[in-house]
């Protein structure tokens, strides 16, 4: 990626000397997180709220300029709600549910990603990544004041890692020079070029797409609605595609497809991109460039996300095309999956083998994202005459033939992963609705004066509908009970009861359904709890 400039947008954790640098023997930490981006900060917040002491190391002192990730999905917002940072994100972000697809200048169809009511969060918000990171750090600061055990060290780079059976030694360097620390567990959240992955000589296999894209973030007062607009073959970028998104602060993201054979330095110069943006917006629109970058993306993944006591999350573990907003959203789902498992292991409530399911479940999620991203890119940039013929035929049909619309691929937008084949899953009842089946994340619904999801995510919990039972305990873990009356005709009954008279759901700490029954069976619930903890 080539950027016009780099500077700090928010200096959130300026360098401070650490006492770890003035001791003879390296200080041992429970969890060390490498990388202070959105995944690293969310990981620290998740673990800290669970009482797990963690240290975040970042080689910068805050958040860099440039919007980078901007589309944050409903599931990500629900996870951020659990972390305490959801409200400021939605308050600042631009809410949207509708997308429109154009061929040249004619709209050929539109779609609504959240057409039904009864959800606390929208399908997506657009929010520049620097704000997303800042809100996470601000919540960390609030929690630190309450005694939550999180430390952030800025301007601290990792220079080496040596792994032992039960811990790792990290070679670090800051403004005061080099020093070492030790870590029981290391979580690498250090991006697609992960230094930790390279130091451990681990592979990152995938496919580089022979195409380039130009991001132009521009500030302007424009009359466009708050929607996702995508063009195939517009007159302002003939033979290629263009994407338009609104962001906060009157900033708009424009993504130009450029093709493969380009001069990467030339296209980020004003004499190239300014006329291109002006031609798209029209001669009467005044704009100011905020950030310009050109990138070539790849879809890639590590073979395994766990290597002993070193775990990989976010772009350090997997990378996808930005079309579909599956990168950062997938990374936050990594956090959601890993945090509760690592906390149980550290607390001695689950075996270390539980962490192997972090790899299997999130590798499944990454492969799903990579498949969708690859298909998007192949549709946007056909590589053969046959695939080009297919795309043109689909675009010919889509305006008047609804059956063709699912075939149009301008980015299959991020959806939460379903762990349908996880070894942690328990029994499933065929009498209950498919949308809340085992392996799926909970579906929100209004309950009295609150939202259903706001009552879950605090450990293992049981949702009891139209029935009562006591909490279930195993291995020192208690699944607490939330009993609700699911009256016929309500959204809660529709989404969780279906045609059944009652239901019992065992919910994981990440709000995924671990097991469910259409009747009360305490012994079965306890057995499913033990299974869900990997015991």
């Amino acid at each position: 990626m080539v950027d016009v400039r780099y500077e700090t947008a928010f200096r959130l954790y300026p360098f401070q000397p650490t006492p770890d640098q003035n001791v003879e023997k390296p200080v041992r930490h429970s969890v060390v997180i490498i990388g202070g981006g959105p995944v690293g900060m969310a990981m620290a917040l998740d673990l800290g709220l669970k009482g797990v002491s963690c240290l975040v190391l970042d080689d910068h002192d805050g958040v860099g300029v440039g919007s980078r990730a901007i589309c944050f999905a409903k599931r990500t917002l629900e996870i951020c709600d659990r972390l305490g940072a959801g409200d400021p994100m939605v308050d600042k972000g631009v809410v949207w549910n509708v997308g429109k697809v154009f061929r040249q200048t004619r709209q050929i169809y539109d779609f609504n990603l959240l057409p039904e009511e009864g959800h606390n969060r929208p399908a997506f918000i657009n929010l520049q990544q620097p704000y997303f990171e800042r809100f996470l750090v601000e919540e960390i600061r609030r929690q630190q004041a309450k005694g939550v055990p999180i430390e952030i060290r800025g301007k601290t780079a990792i220079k080496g890692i040596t792994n032992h059976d039960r811990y790792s030694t990290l070679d670090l360097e800051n403004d005061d020079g080099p020093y070492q620390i030790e870590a029981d567990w290391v979580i690498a959240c250090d991006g697609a070029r992960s230094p930790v992955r390279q130091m451990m000589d681990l592979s990152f296999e995938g496919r580089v797409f022979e195409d380039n894209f130009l991001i132009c973030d521009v500030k302007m007062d424009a009359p466009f609605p708050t929607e996702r607009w995508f063009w195939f073959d517009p007159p302002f970028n003939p033979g290629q595609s263009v994407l338009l998104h609104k962001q906060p602060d009157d900033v708009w993201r424009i993504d130009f497809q450029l093709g493969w054979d380009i001069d990467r330095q030339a296209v980020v110069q004003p004499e190239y991109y300014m006329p291109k943006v002006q031609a798209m917006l029209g001669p009467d629109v005044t704009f100011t460039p905020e950030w310009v970058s050109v990138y070539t993306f790849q879809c890639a993944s590590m073979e395994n996300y766990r290597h002993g006591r070193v775990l990989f999350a976010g772009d350090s573990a997997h990378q996808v095309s930005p079309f579909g907003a599956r990168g950062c959203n997938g990374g936050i789902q990594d956090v959601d999956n890993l945090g509760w498992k690592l906390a149980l292991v550290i607390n001695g409530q689950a075996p270390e083998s539980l962490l192997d399911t972090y790899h299997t479940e999130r590798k499944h999620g990454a492969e799903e994202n990579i498949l969708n991203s690859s298909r998007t890119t192949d549709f946007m940039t056909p590589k053969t005459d046959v695939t080009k013929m297919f795309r043109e035929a689909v675009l010919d049909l889509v305006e008047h033939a609804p059956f063709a619309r699912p075939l149009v691929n301008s980015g299959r937008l991020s959806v939460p992963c379903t762990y349908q084949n996880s070894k942690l899953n328990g029994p499933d009842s065929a009498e209950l609705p498919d949308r809340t089946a085992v392996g799926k994340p909970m579906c929100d619904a209004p309950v009295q004066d609150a939202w259903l999801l706001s009552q879950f995510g605090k450990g293992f919990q049981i949702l009891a509908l139209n029935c009562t039972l006591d909490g279930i305990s195993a291995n020192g873990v208690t699944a607490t009970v939330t009993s609700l009356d699911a009256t016929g005709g309500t959204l809660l009954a529709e989404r969780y009861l279906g045609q059944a008279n009652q239901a019992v759901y065992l919910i994981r700490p990440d709000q995924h359904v671990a097991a469910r029954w259409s009747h009360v069976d305490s012994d079965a619930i306890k057995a499913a709890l033990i299974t869900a903890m990997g015991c």
Side-chain angles (χ1 to χ4, degrees):
M1 180 178 288
V2 178
D3 295 337
V4 169
R5 57 196 168 98
Y6 179 87
E7 58 187 74
T8 302
F10 302 120
R11 185 162 281 106
L12 300 173
Y13 32 90
F15 170 72
Q16 293 181 338
T18 171
D20 283 7
Q21 208 156 358
N22 302 312
V23 294
E24 293 184 6
K25 182 180 179 181
V27 175
R28 178 76 64 90
H29 294 266
S30 178
V31 178
V32 174
I33 298 167
I34 311 296
V39 175
M41 290 303 178
M43 191 79 255
L45 189 51
D46 192 20
L47 288 171
L49 290 170
K50 292 177 170 61
V52 175
S53 177
C54 52
L55 167 65
V56 182
L57 305 175
D58 191 40
D59 55 359
H60 295 295
D61 58 1
V63 185
V65 167
S67 63
R68 290 167 288 170
I70 63 166
C71 295
F72 295 98
K74 178 176 182 287
R75 182 62 197 142
T76 294
L77 298 176
E78 292 165 351
I79 294 167
C80 289
D81 282 338
R82 180 173 61 75
L83 300 178
D87 283 343
M89 293 176 180
V90 176
D91 291 344
K92 180 67 177 179
V94 174
V95 172
W96 67 277
N97 294 320
V98 173
K100 292 181 179 177
V101 178
F102 300 83
R103 190 180 191 189
Q104 297 176 345
T105 58
R106 188 177 74 256
Q107 180 183 328
I108 55 178
Y109 84 105
D110 59 29
F111 56 87
N112 189 336
L113 294 171
L114 191 63
E116 64 179 13
E117 297 181 351
H119 295 266
N120 184 31
R121 293 310 187 193
F124 278 89
I125 64 167
N126 286 350
L127 179 71
Q128 294 95 323
Q129 184 175 322
Y131 284 118
F132 188 88
E133 293 184 33
R134 190 184 84 179
F135 294 142
L136 288 171
V137 173
E138 288 176 350
E139 183 59 27
I140 287 174
R141 297 305 189 200
R142 283 189 285 271
Q143 295 301 329
Q144 286 175 325
K146 299 176 182 179
V148 170
I150 303 172
E151 180 187 353
I152 304 172
R153 293 184 192 171
K155 300 297 287 293
T156 302
I158 183 168
K159 296 298 183 179
I161 180 170
T162 304
N163 296 312
H164 313 281
D165 288 342
R166 308 298 295 175
Y167 70 98
S168 298
T169 301
L170 305 179
D171 298 304
L172 308 178
E173 187 171 346
N174 61 22
D175 288 353
D176 286 343
Y179 68 106
Q180 286 187 330
I181 62 172
E182 295 175 351
D184 293 332
W185 299 90
V186 175
I187 306 176
C189 306
D190 50 347
R193 298 183 180 91
S194 171
V196 175
R197 191 183 65 236
Q198 294 178 27
M199 291 169 189
M200 293 177 62
D201 197 25
L202 298 173
S203 64
F204 195 54
E205 302 297 334
R207 172 185 172 194
V208 176
F209 289 88
E210 294 186 358
D211 210 341
N212 295 286
F213 295 83
L214 178 69
I215 293 175
C216 294
D217 280 359
V218 301
K219 192 175 183 68
M220 63 179 178
D221 183 11
F224 306 119
T226 306
E227 300 169 345
R228 179 187 194 265
W229 284 10
F230 189 95
W231 288 264
F232 288 102
D233 191 25
F236 41 82
N237 199 30
Q240 307 285 6
S241 65
V242 177
L243 175 68
L244 176 69
H245 264 303
K246 183 178 182 180
Q247 305 175 64
D249 305 327
D250 293 322
V251 176
W252 295 75
R253 158 72 60 85
I254 306 172
D255 236 319
F256 291 101
Q257 183 182 13
L258 298 180
W260 182 239
D261 188 16
I262 65 167
D263 183 333
R264 295 173 63 85
Q265 293 294 336
V267 298
V268 296
Q269 303 307 314
E271 55 267 29
Y272 178 85
Y273 66 78
M274 290 289 282
K276 204 171 189 68
V277 174
Q278 195 74 71
M280 174 187 176
L281 300 177
D284 299 327
V285 176
T286 301
F287 65 92
T288 303
E290 289 279 305
W291 182 61
V292 179
S293 176
V294 63
Y295 64 91
T296 302
F297 60 80
Q298 64 175 329
C299 289
S301 175
M302 296 179 66
E303 183 178 351
N304 199 306
Y305 300 164
R306 180 192 177 198
H307 291 264
R309 291 194 162 214
V310 180
L311 301 120
F312 292 81
D315 283 353
S316 69
H318 45 74
Q319 186 183 8
V320 293
S321 148
F323 291 97
R326 291 172 177 266
C328 191
N329 288 296
I332 298 299
Q333 289 183 52
D334 290 351
V335 170
D336 202 33
N337 190 285
L338 176 56
W340 67 271
K341 294 175 179 177
L342 184 56
L344 285 179
V345 171
I346 289 174
N347 292 334
Q349 296 166 314
E352 284 191 21
S353 58
L354 176 62
L355 296 174
D356 293 332
T357 69
Y358 163 69
H359 161 71
T360 55
E361 289 184 346
R362 292 311 303 151
K363 184 67 177 286
H364 166 69
E367 289 174 343
E368 186 177 88
N369 287 335
I370 288 171
L371 176 63
N372 280 285
S373 290
S374 299
R375 286 174 174 172
T376 295
T377 309
D378 288 338
F379 190 87
M380 289 170 54
T381 312
K383 301 300 187 296
T384 67
D385 291 340
V386 172
T387 55
K388 184 175 182 180
M389 186 183 304
F390 170 76
R391 190 189 77 171
E392 296 307 305
V394 168
L395 295 178
D396 287 341
L397 287 168
V398 69
E399 193 170 0
H400 306 291
F403 79 87
R405 291 171 189 173
L407 301 175
V408 177
N409 198 333
S410 62
R412 295 282 186 255
L413 288 154
S414 176
V415 295
C417 185
T418 298
Y419 307 129
Q420 66 263 33
N421 297 317
S422 173
K423 65 183 293 185
L424 304 183
N425 290 348
D428 197 357
S429 171
E431 299 178 57
L432 301 174
D434 179 68
R435 70 184 300 175
T436 47
V438 170
K440 293 186 177 181
M442 294 182 73
C443 180
D444 208 1
V447 289
Q448 300 173 347
D449 296 325
W451 293 97
L452 181 64
L453 288 186
S454 68
Q455 303 181 46
F456 288 81
K458 304 174 182 67
F460 280 97
Q461 294 174 256
I462 296 169
L463 172 62
L465 301 178
N466 299 342
C467 59
T468 59
L469 71 159
D470 296 327
I472 303 293
S473 298
N475 289 14
V477 174
T478 298
T480 58
V481 179
T482 298
S483 297
L484 295 172
D485 177 17
T487 306
T490 64
L491 291 175
L492 179 64
E494 175 188 321
R495 293 169 185 176
Y496 285 87
L497 268 185
Q499 301 303 311
N501 295 320
Q502 60 180 221
V504 177
Y505 284 75
L506 176 63
I507 307 298
R508 301 183 349 175
D510 57 6
Q511 297 178 335
H512 280 255
V513 178
R516 61 181 187 165
W517 304 263
S518 57
H519 59 280
V520 176
D521 186 336
S522 296
D523 290 339
I525 298 170
K526 182 173 182 177
L529 176 59
I530 293 172
T531 297
M533 293 191 294
C535 299

